[in-house]
Amino acid sequence: MSGGGRETPAYLLAGGRPQSEDSMSRMLTQAYGDTPKPRVAYIGTANGDNPAFYAMMKLLLMKAGAKQVANVRLAKEKADVAKAKKALESADVIFLSGGEVEDGMIWLKKHGLVEYLRELYRQGKQFVGVSAGTIMLGEYWVRWEDEDDDDTASLFTCLGFVPATFDVHGEGEDWKELKTALKLMGHGARGYGVPRGGMVSGDSRGELVNMEKSLLTFVNDNGQIRLEQ
């Protein structure tokens, strides 16, 4: 998605354990921006609206200063989309939680909410993602038909608020998923790894700002994925 003078960035948190609650809540407070005691709409499609995920993140979001956290349940066939839109529109901050990226996008696409969320973003709505939610705010991600066979990997589109592809807390597997995505994207493609406990802000022009740990930049150089220094 191309930008048009977009000023309010989206905030992309890596999450991942171990990470202290104090550290996470501090970053969430930063992500709230200039809105004191914001009303937060929580989207948990990536974890199937898991109640334990919601309870955990609600505590952190409230600790960071949220006035209220509305659980926008969309991970079901007969979701109340009209009710969801009302909750999303009235929120000061929309938060995308962790889980599985593809699951998160499947439900948003199924209920026709991708373009709706993009429009809210263009209007200046504050978005915050953590873990899978961060990846969903970027452009692309990768799926496998067979996890043991990279020849079965393919790309799928995410929300694309920030015109870049992100991975989060992938240190333990040497950023395998991000590297696979970049190979599929072709020569010259760039992608970014947000380290465990890191946070970056990004806007529709692709401007990225490190808020915590340094962002890792990977590039596809004629099929070879290398880390830029």
Side-chain angles (χ1 to χ4, degrees):
M1 184 177 71
S2 61
R6 168 78 179 172
E7 295 181 357
T8 304
Y11 287 87
L12 316 175
L13 284 69
R17 295 181 179 179
Q19 183 175 1
S20 73
E21 290 185 4
D22 288 343
S23 173
M24 178 66 82
S25 64
R26 176 179 55 78
M27 285 189 278
L28 288 170
T29 299
Q30 283 185 278
Y32 291 162
D34 297 328
T35 306
K37 298 184 177 180
R39 296 163 296 174
V40 177
Y42 169 98
I43 295 177
T45 52
N47 55 65
D49 288 336
N50 183 294
F53 266 70
Y54 170 66
M56 175 181 67
M57 288 311 309
K58 180 180 179 180
L59 286 175
L60 288 173
L61 290 161
M62 296 289 285
K63 184 176 181 179
K67 180 179 181 180
Q68 63 185 48
V69 181
N71 191 1
V72 183
R73 296 182 179 88
L74 293 165
K76 54 186 177 181
E77 292 291 339
K78 296 183 178 180
D80 189 336
V81 176
K83 181 180 179 181
K85 286 184 175 180
K86 185 175 180 180
L88 294 166
E89 187 173 357
S90 64
D92 300 305
V93 174
I94 297 176
F95 177 83
L96 279 70
S97 192
E100 296 293 333
V101 180
E102 186 175 14
D103 292 343
M105 290 306 306
I106 283 173
W107 288 114
L108 295 181
K109 291 174 181 177
K110 185 182 292 288
H111 296 309
L113 286 170
V114 171
E115 187 53 41
Y116 178 77
L117 291 172
R118 287 173 178 164
E119 182 57 31
L120 290 180
Y121 179 72
R122 285 191 287 264
Q123 292 172 5
K125 186 74 72 178
Q126 182 68 67
F127 279 81
V128 180
V130 68
S131 195
T134 280
I135 297 172
M136 289 164 66
L137 292 172
E139 276 193 310
Y140 299 106
W141 198 231
V142 63
R143 65 164 71 88
W144 281 262
E145 296 297 329
D146 179 349
E147 292 184 3
D148 297 322
D149 184 358
D150 283 349
D151 288 339
T152 68
S154 61
L155 294 172
F156 62 91
T157 58
C158 295
L159 291 168
F161 295 175
V162 184
T165 295
F166 298 94
D167 195 1
V168 291
H169 52 76
E171 300 95 323
E173 56 181 20
D174 194 27
W175 305 98
K176 170 182 168 53
E177 292 174 295
L178 177 60
K179 290 178 178 180
T180 301
L182 292 175
K183 285 182 180 179
L184 292 170
M185 291 166 66
H187 173 65
R190 274 179 165 74
Y192 302 93
V194 187
R196 190 179 308 275
M199 177 171 72
V200 62
S201 67
D203 64 19
S204 62
R205 295 167 293 191
E207 294 182 7
L208 305 176
V209 178
N210 286 319
M211 307 293 290
E212 294 286 332
K213 301 179 180 181
S214 295
L215 197 65
L216 301 175
T217 303
F218 294 89
V219 63
N220 183 330
D221 187 356
N222 288 314
Q224 298 299 312
I225 309 302
R226 59 178 176 81
L227 177 64
E228 286 196 335
Q229 302 297 326

